[in-house]
Amino acid sequence: MTLTPEAPSASRCPVAHGFDALSDDYFTDPAAHFAKFRDETPVFFYPYLNAWIVNRREDVETVLADWQRFTSGGNSGTIDVPEQFRAIVPPDLITQMLVGSDPPSHTDHRFVAQRGFTKERMEALQPEIEARAHRVVDGFEARGSGNLVTDYALELTTQTIMAHMGLGYEHDAMMRQLRDDFAMILASAAEPMAEPLRTQVWQRYIDATLVLRRIIDERRENPGADLISDMAIVNDKDGNRMLSAAQIAVHLTEFAMAGVDSTTQAVSNAVLFLARNPETLAEAIEDPGLWQRVFEETVRRRPSSPFAARQAQQDIELGGAHIRKGDMVWLALASANTDPARCPHPFEFDIHRPEPENHLAFTQGRHTCLGQALARVQGATALKVLFERLPSLRPAAEVPLDFLPIALLPVRRTLPVTWDVADIERAKTKTARHMELTVLERCDESDGVVSLTLGHPDGGALPTWKPGAHIEVRLGDGDDALLRQYSLSSSPQDSTRWRIGVLREPDSRGGSQYVHDRLRDGATVTVGFPRNNFRLRPAARYVFVAGGIGITPILPMIAQAEADGARWELLYGGRTRASMAFLSELERFGDKITVCPQDETGLLDLRALLAEPTEDTLIYCCGPEPLLQAIEAASAHWPVGSLVTERFAAKKIVRTEPDVAFDVDFSRSGITATVPAGKSVLDVAEEIGIEALSSCKEGTCGTCEVRILAGRADHRDSILTPGEQERNETMMMCVSRAEKGCSKLVLDA
C-alpha cells in the first residue's frame, strides 16, 4: 500500500522524528519503539497516517473514558465502500460495526452480541477448545518443526470461532478469507487499499456477508446453541428483532477477525517471550495454573492490537498537543501498558505482577473488547496444551519479521519453531487426551444393545489404535458427568470412524442408560484417546470366548487374526439369540464361529473347549465376571500367560489383613511420601502435586499405570495378567499398594 506523507505544519506539532509504525524496529517490539518518544513527545502528530499518537497511559485512559469528545465513529466512518457494492453494504451499515460506533447504537448492538461472550459461557467452552488444541497438535507434532502461526495458533482460533458460531466445515475456507479481508477493510479507514486489491477484497467480503445473512435467517427459524442463533433471536420491547440480518452479518465479520487474529498473535508472542525467559516457561509447565498469567503478561507487554483509534469531536489540548475537531487520534496501547509511571519494571516479563489484568490490551470503557473472555480462555488453553505436548518447543534461531504491513493491526504471518519429537512419547504418560466427536450413526444391534459410530464432523482422521483398545466416553456435563470405558469394535484400518457397543444395564450407575436414552445421530460426545490393556499378542492359534457385550473387543481381534492367517475359533455366548449383538457381522466367518444362546444350549462348555492345552495358542476372553471366573478355572492347567481377559468391572479382592502405611519414592519428582491406610498411591500423588493421569480409580482402565523401579507391589488391579503381576514391572496407582513386608516402593513418577 502507498501512504502519502503530509508535511507537518505549526498546527500539527509536535512530531516525533524517527517514529515509524512500519519500520522493522516497530514490528520487532512496538512498546520499545514507543518508549523512545514517550517522555519528550507524549502526544505527537504522525504525518504518514495523518493522526495524533497518544503515548502515556493517563492520556490514553482519558480518551478511552470520554466517548462524547472522542468518538469511535472515525474507525468506520472513513471506510470507503466501493460504489458497485453500496446497494448490498451501504456506508451507514459499515458505520454500525462495534469498533466504529458510539451510544446509543453501540449500546444496543453490543447488548445483542454480549450474550454469546459471557465469562461463564467462555469457560464452559474451554474443554472443547482444549480438545481441539490437542487435535491440531496431533496433525503436526511428528514433523519436529513448523510455522506456529499457521500450523497451530491460527488453526485453533479459527476452529474455535467457527464452533462458537455453529458454522460447519463447508464454511471454513470462506471464514478464513473473510477474516483477512475484513482486517484490510477496517485498516482502510486510515490506510487506503490500492486497486485491483480493493475491488477483490470487497467482492469477497460481499459474497461472504450474503452467505452469513442467509444463515442468520435460517437460525431465526431454527435456532441452536450458538452465537449466531443468540444474536438472531433477540427482540426489542415491542417484540421486533433488535438487529437485521445485515447488521448481525457485519458483527460476525468483526468477530471472525478479532476472535482469531488477536489470540493468534498473543500465543505467538508468548512463545517468543517464554524463549527469552526460560525460568518462567519451566514454572508454567510445572504449574499449569500459571498459563493464565503468562497470557496476561504477554498481552500487557505486547498487545495484539497495539493501537485503538478515536476521532476528536472538538478542539482539545492533550499531553501538550493541540488536537482539532475531526482529527484522528491513535491510542498507543503498547506504550500505555509499558508506561513506567503506572507499571514498575515495564519491560520485564513478570507473570507474578500483583494485578495481572491491569493493562489496556483489551482497552476499557464502553469499547472494552467484547471477546476478552474468549481470548483469555483460549489463549491460556492454547499455551497449556502446546507445552504439555511439546515442552521442548522453541522459536527457530532466526525469526523473520514477516508481518502484514498494517500499522493499526500488524499481523505476524510467520513464527518458525522447532521441537524434539521425543516429546510425543513423553506426553502420552502425562497428558490426558480428549476429543469432541459426533455420533455419525446409531444402530440397534440386538435386544438391549446399541452401537454408536463416532467421528470428526469434518471426516478427519482419528488417532490410530489396535485390536483390544478402548476409549473413555464422557456422558453428561459438569460435576454430574459420568466417565465410562467402551471397547472399540470397528476396524483399525478405518481411520475416520470408531464404533462402540453399549448394553443397557438397568442396575448400572446410569452410563448405559444415558447412552440409550440421550445419544442420537448428530450428538456430540467427549472421548479420550484409545488405550489398550487387552492387546492382541502374536500367536499361531487363538481361542476367542465372548459373553454378551464382551463380543465388542473380540470383533477386531478375529478380523486381525484372519488377516494374519492365524488359526482361530470363537465361542460366543449370550442369554438369548435376540440379545446377542453383531451376529450378522460374524456370519461371513462360517464354522469358525460357535453361537451358544443360553436358553437354547445352556452355559458355555469351557472345559470341553479347553480340555487339552495347545502350543502356540492364546485364549482371549471378555464378558461378565462369572464367565471370567469360569474360564480361569477351565484353563488353569494351561501354560502361564495363555489366558488374556478383560473385565467390565473391578475384580473383587479378598483381604485377610488390614492395610498398613508404606513409603513411596517418586523418583522423577524427587519426592518421598507416606501412603497411609485408607489412601491410595494415586491419592497421595495428587495431594503433593505430582502429575498422574487417572480415570476409573478402580484398577480397570489402566490410565494410572506406572513403572516400578524398586520394591514389590500388592497388585489389586483387574488388568495385569498373573504373569505380569509376578514380574512386578508396573502397577496401577489407584488400587495397588506395597506388598506385605515391603516398606518402600520406588516409582517412575
Side-chain angles (χ1 to χ4, degrees):
M1 65 186 63
T2 302
L3 299 175
T4 303
E6 176 183 310
S9 62
S11 61
R12 290 292 188 274
C13 290
V15 295
H17 298 287
F19 179 83
D20 184 355
L22 294 175
S23 67
D24 287 353
D25 191 52
Y26 172 81
F27 285 124
T28 298
D29 191 340
H33 191 63
F34 284 123
K36 300 173 184 177
F37 310 98
R38 182 171 45 229
D39 291 339
E40 292 187 10
T41 51
V43 179
F44 63 86
F45 189 73
Y46 186 40
Y48 282 88
L49 292 175
N50 196 31
W52 295 94
I53 306 294
V54 181
N55 271 298
R56 292 189 308 200
R57 177 154 180 173
E58 180 180 359
D59 295 332
V60 169
E61 289 181 330
T62 295
V63 175
L64 290 175
D66 193 345
W67 65 269
Q68 293 176 315
R69 289 195 297 171
F70 296 95
T71 177
S72 294
N75 293 330
S76 58
T78 57
I79 293 176
D80 183 23
V81 181
E83 182 69 33
Q84 65 268 38
F85 301 123
R86 291 180 182 177
I88 300 173
V89 178
D92 66 331
L93 180 63
I94 285 292
T95 63
Q96 295 176 36
M97 67 175 64
L98 289 171
V99 297
S101 61
D102 291 310
S105 173
H106 175 270
T107 304
D108 293 340
H109 287 237
R110 188 180 177 101
F111 171 78
V112 173
Q114 67 187 7
R115 294 170 7 122
F117 289 99
T118 64
K119 182 179 180 181
E120 293 75 18
R121 186 158 180 183
M122 294 304 95
E123 289 175 348
L125 191 62
Q126 192 277 336
E128 181 173 353
I129 295 172
E130 185 164 348
R132 287 174 180 267
H134 279 295
R135 186 185 173 198
V136 175
V137 176
D138 291 340
F140 66 78
E141 64 179 354
R143 299 206 304 261
S145 64
N147 177 3
L148 186 80
V149 174
T150 55
D151 292 344
Y152 182 63
L154 199 57
E155 187 63 32
L156 174 61
T157 53
T158 299
Q159 287 190 25
T160 299
I161 199 67
M162 291 279 291
H164 188 38
M165 291 184 182
L167 294 175
Y169 286 88
E170 68 273 16
H171 300 299
D172 185 80
M174 180 191 79
M175 294 301 291
R176 290 172 190 266
Q177 184 64 59
L178 179 60
R179 172 194 67 214
D180 296 339
D181 289 340
F182 186 74
M184 299 185 72
I185 288 172
L186 184 61
S188 71
E191 303 171 76
M193 286 185 283
E195 292 289 1
L197 178 63
R198 177 171 176 260
T199 296
Q200 294 168 352
V201 167
W202 273 99
Q203 183 63 66
R204 290 193 299 261
Y205 177 81
I206 293 298
D207 293 342
T209 199
L210 289 175
V211 173
L212 289 174
R213 291 180 192 181
R214 288 196 294 270
I215 293 172
I216 293 163
D217 289 336
E218 292 169 359
R219 301 284 169 89
R220 280 182 168 154
E221 296 299 322
N222 297 288
D226 58 80
L227 175 62
I228 296 178
S229 297
D230 285 346
M231 298 179 69
I233 62 176
V234 179
N235 294 333
D236 61 19
K237 59 183 176 56
D238 298 321
N240 301 313
R241 300 300 189 193
M242 282 197 68
L243 299 183
S244 69
Q247 291 170 319
I248 294 173
V250 168
H251 298 320
L252 294 178
T253 62
E254 293 185 81
F255 305 150
M257 182 200 71
V260 171
D261 278 321
S262 58
T263 309
T264 294
Q265 299 304 304
V267 170
S268 301
N269 291 333
V271 169
L272 290 168
F273 283 126
L274 291 169
R276 300 175 202 141
N277 297 272
E279 70 289 343
T280 300
L281 174 58
E283 190 177 3
I285 290 175
E286 181 68 23
D287 181 3
L290 294 174
W291 286 118
Q292 189 62 61
R293 283 180 168 269
V294 171
F295 177 80
E296 294 294 344
E297 182 67 354
T298 296
V299 296
R300 179 201 69 81
R301 181 62 179 78
R302 181 166 185 156
S304 298
S305 298
F307 284 110
R310 299 290 188 269
Q311 187 175 36
Q313 292 292 86
Q314 62 185 61
D315 293 350
I316 190 170
E317 181 175 338
L318 185 70
H322 297 281
I323 300 173
R324 297 190 307 208
K325 179 180 179 180
D327 285 352
M328 290 301 299
V329 179
W330 282 29
L331 311 176
L333 304 178
S335 179
N337 283 352
T338 51
D339 186 341
R342 298 285 290 276
C343 180
H345 312 292
F347 288 95
E348 292 183 9
F349 192 77
D350 180 6
I351 66 172
H352 297 292
R353 293 184 184 275
E355 298 179 273
E357 297 182 12
N358 183 21
H359 56 73
L360 301 179
F362 299 110
T363 71
Q364 63 179 211
R366 293 178 180 272
H367 282 275
T368 299
C369 176
L370 186 67
Q372 62 179 293
L374 173 60
R376 286 183 159 112
V377 169
Q378 187 167 225
T381 301
L383 292 167
K384 170 180 173 288
V385 171
L386 182 65
F387 285 103
E388 274 183 354
R389 297 285 297 277
L390 305 173
S392 66
L393 184 141
R394 300 294 185 274
E398 294 186 10
V399 176
L401 288 176
D402 182 18
F403 288 82
L404 285 176
I406 304 174
L408 178 64
L409 295 168
V411 176
R412 184 188 298 277
R413 296 182 292 193
T414 304
L415 178 55
V417 291
T418 62
W419 60 90
D420 183 356
V421 294
D423 285 347
I424 299 171
E425 291 303 315
R426 287 193 289 263
K428 289 180 180 179
T429 65
K430 300 177 65 176
T431 305
R433 309 278 294 281
H434 297 90
M435 299 172 291
E436 296 292 320
L437 298 185
T438 297
V439 178
L440 303 178
E441 184 180 14
R442 171 190 163 120
C443 292
D444 292 317
E445 301 292 351
S446 67
D447 291 348
V449 175
V450 297
S451 68
L452 302 179
T453 298
L454 310 175
H456 289 301
D458 62 350
L462 297 164
T464 58
W465 59 283
K466 293 183 178 181
H470 69 266
I471 57 173
E472 180 179 82
V473 181
R474 183 182 180 88
L475 304 173
D477 301 311
D479 295 336
D480 295 330
L482 303 171
L483 298 178
R484 296 292 183 265
Q485 287 79 37
Y486 297 109
S487 296
L488 291 171
S489 63
S490 47
S491 169
Q493 279 67 52
D494 187 346
S495 64
T496 64
R497 298 161 72 88
W498 286 348
R499 185 182 66 180
I500 60 174
V502 182
L503 168 68
R504 179 187 284 275
E505 293 276 10
D507 298 327
S508 73
R509 291 170 292 173
S512 69
Q513 294 180 50
Y514 185 97
V515 171
H516 279 254
D517 297 340
R518 303 281 294 277
L519 296 184
R520 297 289 185 267
D521 289 359
T524 299
V525 290
T526 302
V527 304
F529 275 46
R531 302 185 66 86
N532 203 333
N533 307 313
F534 195 37
R535 193 175 298 276
L536 185 67
R537 308 200 311 261
R541 176 174 178 264
Y542 297 97
V543 175
F544 297 111
V545 179
I549 197 62
I551 189 63
T552 51
I554 301 297
L555 291 173
M557 288 185 172
I558 61 178
Q560 185 66 55
E562 183 78 3
D564 292 343
R567 292 176 291 120
W568 63 272
E569 60 182 301
L570 167 65
L571 183 63
Y572 179 18
R575 297 187 308 277
T576 65
R577 190 175 296 271
S579 71
M580 299 173 69
F582 307 110
L583 286 179
S584 61
E585 196 169 310
L586 294 168
E587 289 177 353
R588 66 189 180 98
F589 296 114
D591 60 6
K592 292 183 179 181
I593 309 293
T594 302
V595 177
C596 298
Q598 186 176 342
D599 63 342
E600 298 176 20
T601 63
L603 296 175
L604 298 180
D605 191 353
L606 299 177
R607 295 199 177 275
L609 177 69
L610 305 174
E612 296 296 331
T614 307
E615 292 185 1
D616 300 324
T617 298
L618 292 177
I619 310 163
Y620 276 80
C621 180
C622 184
E625 186 62 25
L627 172 63
L628 299 183
Q629 293 179 6
I631 202 166
E632 287 172 348
S635 64
H637 57 297
W638 281 59
V640 174
S642 297
L643 175 64
V644 187
T645 62
E646 183 167 60
R647 283 178 154 80
F648 298 153
K651 182 191 298 185
K652 186 175 181 179
I653 303 295
V654 178
R655 300 182 178 88
T656 58
E657 297 181 10
D659 289 337
V660 297
F662 60 96
D663 291 337
V664 174
D665 182 353
F666 297 99
S667 62
R668 275 192 285 126
S669 304
I671 300 174
T672 299
T674 298
V675 180
K679 286 189 177 181
S680 68
V681 176
L682 179 63
D683 292 335
V684 172
E686 291 176 340
E687 287 174 0
I688 61 179
I690 291 176
E691 292 185 15
L693 299 183
S694 66
S695 179
C696 71
K697 298 189 177 182
E698 296 178 341
T700 60
C701 73
T703 306
C704 66
E705 186 173 11
V706 63
R707 284 200 308 136
I708 301 173
L709 303 180
R712 288 200 62 83
D714 175 9
H715 295 282
R716 301 178 180 181
D717 63 275
S718 303
I719 295 172
L720 299 177
T721 66
E724 288 171 330
Q725 292 184 347
E726 179 61 31
R727 288 196 295 273
N728 196 56
E729 295 172 349
T730 66
M731 64 176 280
M732 308 302 155
M733 290 195 291
C734 64
V735 290
S736 298
R737 303 180 65 80
E739 189 176 72
K740 182 180 179 180
C742 175
S743 61
K744 178 189 282 190
L745 289 173
V746 181
L747 304 180
D748 185 21

